[in-house]
Amino acid sequence: MDISRKWLSDYVKLDCDDAFLCDKLTMAGIEVEKIEKNSTIPEGVVTAKILSREPHPGSDHLSVCKVTDGSEELQIVCGAPNCDAGKIVPLAKIGTVFHTEEGDFKIKRSKLRGVESCGMMCSEKELGISDDHEGLMIFPEDTALGVALTQLYPGDTRIELEITPNRPDCLSMWGVARDVSCLLSTPAQLPEITVPECDIEVAGLVTVENPELCPRYIGRVIKDVKIGPSPDWLKERLESVGLRSINNVVDVTNFVMLELGQPLHAFDRATLAGGRVVARNARAGEKITLLDGKVIELEPCHLVIADAEKPMALAGIMGGENSGVTDSTTEVLLESAVFKSSHIRSESRSLGVSTDASYRYERGVDFDMAETASLRACQLILEVAGGKLASKAMEVAAERPAEPVINCRFARIRELIGTTVSNERIVDILKKLHLKVENISADSCVVTAPLFRLDLTREADLAEEVARIDGLDKIPMIPVAGKVCHPDSEDAYAPLRTLRDLVIGMGFDECVHYSIVGSASALCDSRFEKSDLIELSNPLSPDNGWMRPGLLGEMLGTVGRNIARGNRDLRLFELDKAFCKNPAKFPEERNELLILMTGRRHPELFSAEGEALCDFYDIKGVVETLLEKLAVTNYRFVAPEKPDARFREGHALVLLLEGKVAGMFGELNGKHANSWRSSAPVFFAQMEVSSLLDAATHVKKSCKALAQFPATTRDIAFVAPETLAHGEVIDFIRKCKAPNFESVRLFDIFVGDDLKKQHKKSMAYSLTFRNRERTLTDTEVNAAMDKLRAKLAAELKVELR
């Protein structure tokens, strides 16, 4: 919002410069965005007296004058017809710079037709005061000499303010003046409003069919008005804040809106069918052409101001093209109304129409100001357009809103703002803000907030008012003291953060999906039936009315979208909440971890190795690595007891932690990927976070030096029953605790036709031995291997090869 310093000074005395005023406003929460000075009188122009006037010897229209500014006498050559001796005029002395549209013009000592001139006497047009260029500007005879014209005509300063949505009272000159008067401790006073009495009632002039959206409507009729240009003072006020003059009546409505914050509209009563207005909802099929030429197709939700037949204006937003006054208007119906702010805001945005009026209505206007603004507009219309009142105030109003009554405890105010402001100072500030303060005691007072302060509803609001007026710079800077109540290890979120960081460190990208999903996505996880889902009682959309029971459904949707856009090499995970209605399956709310991978194993490589796709052992390795990082040791992988529809049959394993099921991993069932444009298999692991964290051992990280002695390896191969699992072999070898044993790995499984018939398979392992203090000999390694081979044959019933 723009305000004019000169206009503001009509209501409050401003004994300060622009910088001080703007600093006070900003520190009080009314932020100054921009300052623009519009004075056109340059520095160096002073009042001076013409002592004598002689004809120019070389010209019949120039004069040679002797001029004094009270300190020196100068010779000026002038062409004005009224440069007579004894007159006091403006004098631009040498060095004065005029800023014109053609460029800068500097006054210099020069000769005109051979006669020296040491300055220039000026007209009003040359000074930018008016368009009068008929002669010199003449001052009264008692004007002091040598006075800078910038003091006599200080010009104006336009100040752009950023008004927060909770302060609609500051969207007017009077609203800002109230705060300025408090900040500067000077009284603020509105001009006296006097309107001739009129007792004429116009029956049916105003009708309100929807009082909820229009709680107050005041109409007054003024007849015999004469539409014409506005007086200079009114034009100056509007132009000072960036508005152009239209005509005297329209300018008055704009002036009062800017002065008091109450939007008004002047209808040409001759264009109103029945000569009356109705505030109602639009009817289906109605249209209106606004003042800006935009055609609006109205709907029943729109509030309009209509005459007896048709809509004439969008209530609180903009008038229709035929509703405003014209040069032929003689009778005006003046509207001053209060509309529901939320409705105006919604309607303005839905129609894409925003005006100064809607901007104020959206934020809320003062219920009481509607009457004051109507009287003020009547006063000014009668002053600038003539005419006379033809009706009393015809008003339709709902019950006046109650003013908030707030108990203000002085100690609580000081506690909230952190300063030692006195009780008297608190009361003084509240009174200067035009708040009603009563029942003042040593401990508290009772404050009634007026209706123009819609933001004051509680004690904390009063504390804010005291703080910003008393000075936010007075609030002491207190160092923030932090206290650690519990170690980070006791933070319930810390284990989840650690787990998330581990998965990210393994090269996976985190996904975040909505917890509210559709039934198809929820039932994509075959562990659940519809009866297991938690259904929302009031969903935002009928397509998304269930809480997700697991993370699989939404993750598959993300994979599908990525593949559709050519992103086929994916490493994704999500760690988040899942919900289940069936306590026999899962708790109502739990954390789940889903890790998914598909596409090339090493897309960064350019060789043939870069084309190799991920396989089952990649997802198995990811799970094993995660368990290792969590220091989980007591785990096993077993085949599922029955097929799981999430996975391809025969290509999945169940994760057991301490003998309990903690998750499952494997290759995605192809039915979920039928529509994807990718032939690469998808592998994923779905694990219960609580089980992972419960099994994790919290051991201190330690490091040990690299072994300085070489390792030696031995291979062992055997034929085993096809039911013998690799995990059983690994566990058995480790339990044997062969001397100097370090590690074991499987490097071959073979099932030929003959072995297949016998329900057997061939397995080959490589064992590593190392002593960290010396180099091992073949003799001791072979001895350890012989014992191990014998135990394998005896206890696992394998045929050594």
Side-chain angles (χ1 to χ4, degrees), residues 110 495 548:
S110 60
R548 61 182 177 188

Side-chain angles (χ1 to χ4, degrees), residues 504-526:
I504 292 173
M506 294 163 63
F508 287 80
D509 297 317
E510 184 174 11
C511 295
V512 178
H513 299 106
Y514 288 116
S515 298
I516 301 173
V517 300
S519 59
S521 173
L523 296 176
C524 186
D525 193 326
S526 59

Side-chain angles (χ1 to χ4, degrees), residues 404-408 430 435-438 445-449 456 462:
V405 178
I406 308 166
N407 184 40
C408 176
L430 297 177
L435 310 183
K436 185 178 179 181
V437 183
E438 300 175 307
C445 63
V446 176
V447 178
T448 302
L456 302 182
L462 300 180

Side-chain angles (χ1 to χ4, degrees), residues 519-574:
S519 59
S521 173
L523 296 176
C524 186
D525 193 326
S526 59
R527 295 174 296 173
F528 303 98
E529 299 175 355
K530 196 162 185 176
S531 59
D532 299 326
L533 306 183
I534 297 176
E535 185 175 1
L536 300 179
S537 59
N538 187 25
L540 292 175
S541 166
D543 298 328
N544 294 288
W546 289 266
M547 302 299 292
R548 61 182 177 188
L551 307 182
L552 180 61
E554 293 300 289
M555 180 65 81
L556 294 182
T558 295
V559 173
R561 286 188 291 273
N562 275 269
I563 291 176
R565 289 159 178 78
N567 186 18
R568 294 181 172 84
D569 302 315
L570 302 173
R571 303 287 187 279
L572 307 175
F573 85 96
E574 183 173 13

Side-chain angles (χ1 to χ4, degrees), residues 361-388:
Y361 277 126
E362 287 172 13
R363 286 154 179 77
V365 297
D366 180 6
F367 188 90
D368 294 335
M369 187 58 73
E371 171 64 14
T372 305
S374 178
L375 290 170
R376 177 67 164 154
C378 283
Q379 176 192 27
L380 294 176
I381 290 174
L382 295 176
E383 177 184 329
V384 303
K388 61 181 181 180

Side-chain angles (χ1 to χ4, degrees), residues 627-751:
L627 295 173
E628 180 182 350
K629 289 180 178 294
L630 290 171
V632 176
T633 56
N634 189 13
Y635 70 88
R636 291 178 59 206
F637 300 139
V638 298
E641 296 179 358
K642 59 182 179 178
D644 189 311
R646 292 174 292 168
F647 299 93
R648 178 183 172 189
E649 188 172 353
H651 291 71
L653 289 176
V654 175
L655 169 63
L656 298 180
L657 296 179
E658 299 177 353
K660 298 179 181 179
V661 176
M664 194 169 179
F665 64 89
E667 182 179 344
L668 179 70
N669 192 321
K671 70 177 183 179
H672 296 299
N674 288 335
S675 61
W676 297 349
R677 299 176 182 176
S678 175
S679 58
V682 177
F683 300 92
F684 73 97
Q686 210 164 354
M687 295 173 281
E688 298 303 315
V689 172
S690 60
S691 299
L692 288 175
L693 298 180
D694 289 344
T697 56
H698 303 285
V699 295
K700 291 184 179 180
K701 293 184 178 180
S702 61
C703 300
K704 61 182 179 180
L706 294 173
Q708 299 187 20
F709 295 94
T712 184
T713 60
R714 295 291 187 272
D715 294 342
I716 183 171
F718 50 81
V719 174
E722 64 178 6
T723 57
L724 181 64
H726 162 67
E728 295 181 54
V729 177
I730 294 294
D731 290 342
F732 180 82
I733 292 175
R734 287 173 176 164
K735 288 178 181 179
C736 287
K737 296 182 179 180
N740 301 308
F741 170 75
E742 186 176 80
S743 62
V744 58
R745 70 178 182 87
L746 174 71
F747 69 85
D748 183 55
I749 294 181
F750 174 74
V751 181

Side-chain angles (χ1 to χ4, degrees), residues 183-299:
L183 292 168
L184 302 182
S185 296
T186 56
Q189 184 65 48
L190 265 177
E192 184 180 358
I193 301 175
T194 56
V195 176
E197 292 186 6
C198 181
D199 297 327
I200 301 173
E201 289 193 16
V202 181
L205 181 68
V206 175
T207 303
V208 176
E209 295 183 0
N210 192 334
E212 180 183 357
L213 300 184
C214 179
R216 190 175 196 187
Y217 195 106
I218 301 172
R220 279 186 165 92
V221 177
I222 307 172
K223 67 179 183 179
D224 299 333
V225 298
K226 185 177 181 180
I227 306 301
S230 294
D232 290 341
W233 71 266
L234 183 53
K235 290 181 181 179
E236 179 187 340
R237 286 292 182 260
L238 296 179
E239 290 169 358
S240 69
V241 294
L243 266 65
R244 64 181 180 88
S245 174
I246 298 175
N247 60 53
N248 47 10
V249 172
V250 173
D251 287 355
V252 164
T253 60
N254 287 333
F255 175 88
V256 174
M257 177 186 69
L258 295 171
E259 181 183 52
L260 302 178
Q262 171 65 48
L264 305 170
H265 187 69
F267 291 95
D268 183 345
R269 196 178 180 207
T271 65
L272 297 174
R276 63 191 184 93
V277 290
V278 182
R280 62 171 173 82
N281 290 87
R283 300 186 178 101
E286 287 186 323
K287 295 183 180 181
I288 186 173
T289 303
L290 302 179
L291 286 171
D292 62 359
K294 186 175 183 179
V295 178
I296 303 293
E297 294 185 3
L298 299 170
E299 298 178 8

